[in-house]
Amino acid sequence: MPQRAAGQFPVGCGEQFRDGHYAAGRKELLTLRGPETTATTLDCPAEGEWIGIRFKVGTFMPRFLPGSLRDHKDVTLPPATGHSFWLNGSALEYPGFDDAETFVRRLAKSGILSRDPIVDDTLLRRPGELSLRSSQRHFLRSTGVTYATFRQIERARYATNLLREGVSILDVVSSVGYFDQAHLTRSLRRFIGETPAKIIQWHKQLSFLYKTSWSAEAIVLP
C-alpha cells in the first residue's frame, strides 16, 4: 500500500518496497529497495514528497530479486522522460499516491511482478509437497531473507506494538517469548532501532510498522 513520509525516521527491517521520490524542483526518481535485516534511518526532507509502495511478503520482481537488493543495495531505475522511467524495456509513468494500486496491478498483469505461493504455505504453516529445505529455499528467493530472520523481525514488531499500546516490558518479555529483558532489548535495537524504554517514551515515526494480526505463538522462535 502507498505510504507518505516526511522527516527522519527508522525504517523497519525485512521490507521489500519501491519508493518514488518527488523532490524540490520536481525531480522524479524511482528506487527499488530490498529487505533490511537491521533498522536504518531514512532521511526525507520536508520539501520533498516521498511515496512508498510496500509489497506483500512473497511478492517480488524476478529481474530484481529481493536478495540482490537486501541491506541498502538499492537500484534507481533510469529515467525515460521527466515523468517516466525505464523498466523491463518499457517506459512507465512514475506512480503517484492516488494511482499506486493501479500501478502495481499493471506491473502484475505485465508479468513484472511475481508471487510464490510456497511463501504463503510457509507463513501459515500449511503442509505441502516440498521438503522443509526446499520450502526454505523458496522463501529466501522470494523474500530476500531466511524464514528464521523473518520470524525474528515479526516478533520484534509484535513486541513493539505491545509496548506502544502500554504493555509493560516484563509482560512483553513473557508473552512474546524472549528469554529476558536483555534479549528483548537486543532484538529491538537490531530490528527496530530503539530500546524498549525509548519505544514506550517516544512518539517517533516508525516506517511500515504495521500491526500484525499474528498471535504470539505464530512468531515465537523454537
Side-chain angles (χ1 to χ4, degrees):
M1 62 181 294
Q3 300 199 13
R4 293 184 186 272
Q8 191 177 70
F9 54 91
V11 176
C13 310
E15 298 294 0
Q16 305 150 46
F17 68 100
R18 315 300 184 246
D19 70 304
H21 171 199
Y22 300 77
R26 298 302 298 174
K27 182 179 180 181
E28 301 183 66
L29 299 173
L30 191 141
T31 300
L32 309 182
R33 296 175 60 90
E36 298 181 0
T37 55
T38 58
T40 58
T41 297
L42 179 63
D43 188 22
C44 298
E47 64 272 14
E49 181 178 354
W50 303 70
I51 298 173
I53 301 176
R54 175 169 53 86
F55 292 158
K56 184 177 180 180
V57 177
T59 300
F60 61 96
M61 292 182 175
R63 186 175 175 184
F64 299 96
L65 290 176
S68 69
L69 303 171
R70 183 178 56 237
D71 289 332
H72 321 301
K73 298 183 180 70
D74 304 343
V75 173
T76 297
L77 298 179
T81 68
H83 301 286
S84 63
F85 61 94
W86 290 108
L87 178 61
N88 284 23
S90 299
L92 304 176
E93 289 189 8
Y94 289 107
F97 187 81
D98 295 328
D99 64 355
E101 293 183 2
T102 300
F103 172 75
V104 172
R105 284 196 294 268
R106 181 180 178 186
L107 295 183
K109 185 176 182 180
S110 63
I112 294 175
L113 282 183
S114 184
R115 179 158 183 79
D116 190 341
I118 301 301
V119 172
D120 283 336
D121 292 340
T122 303
L123 293 175
L124 297 174
R125 298 185 177 181
R126 290 194 297 238
E129 298 179 356
L130 297 179
S131 66
L132 176 61
R133 180 169 295 182
S134 294
S135 296
Q136 290 175 341
R137 283 199 297 266
H138 274 263
F139 194 93
L140 176 60
R141 179 180 183 275
S142 301
T143 67
V145 296
T146 65
Y147 180 52
T149 298
F150 175 82
R151 292 176 68 187
Q152 290 180 55
I153 293 168
E154 289 298 283
R155 177 166 64 173
R157 285 180 171 150
Y158 184 78
T160 299
N161 282 320
L162 291 179
L163 291 171
R164 289 164 71 102
E165 291 171 359
V167 180
S168 71
I169 292 176
L170 291 181
D171 284 343
V172 170
V173 169
S174 175
S175 62
V176 183
Y178 288 100
F179 295 121
D180 51 31
Q181 184 172 338
H183 186 201
L184 170 67
T185 298
R186 288 194 301 270
S187 175
L188 297 191
R189 278 178 171 167
R190 176 183 176 186
F191 296 120
I192 306 300
E194 301 290 351
T195 64
K198 288 289 184 63
I199 290 171
I200 292 173
Q201 295 170 4
W202 290 11
H203 297 286
K204 201 170 186 178
Q205 182 178 353
L206 300 176
S207 176
F208 303 122
L209 186 62
Y210 54 84
K211 185 173 181 179
T212 176
S213 60
W214 287 7
S215 66
E217 289 77 11
I219 60 175
V220 172
L221 294 171

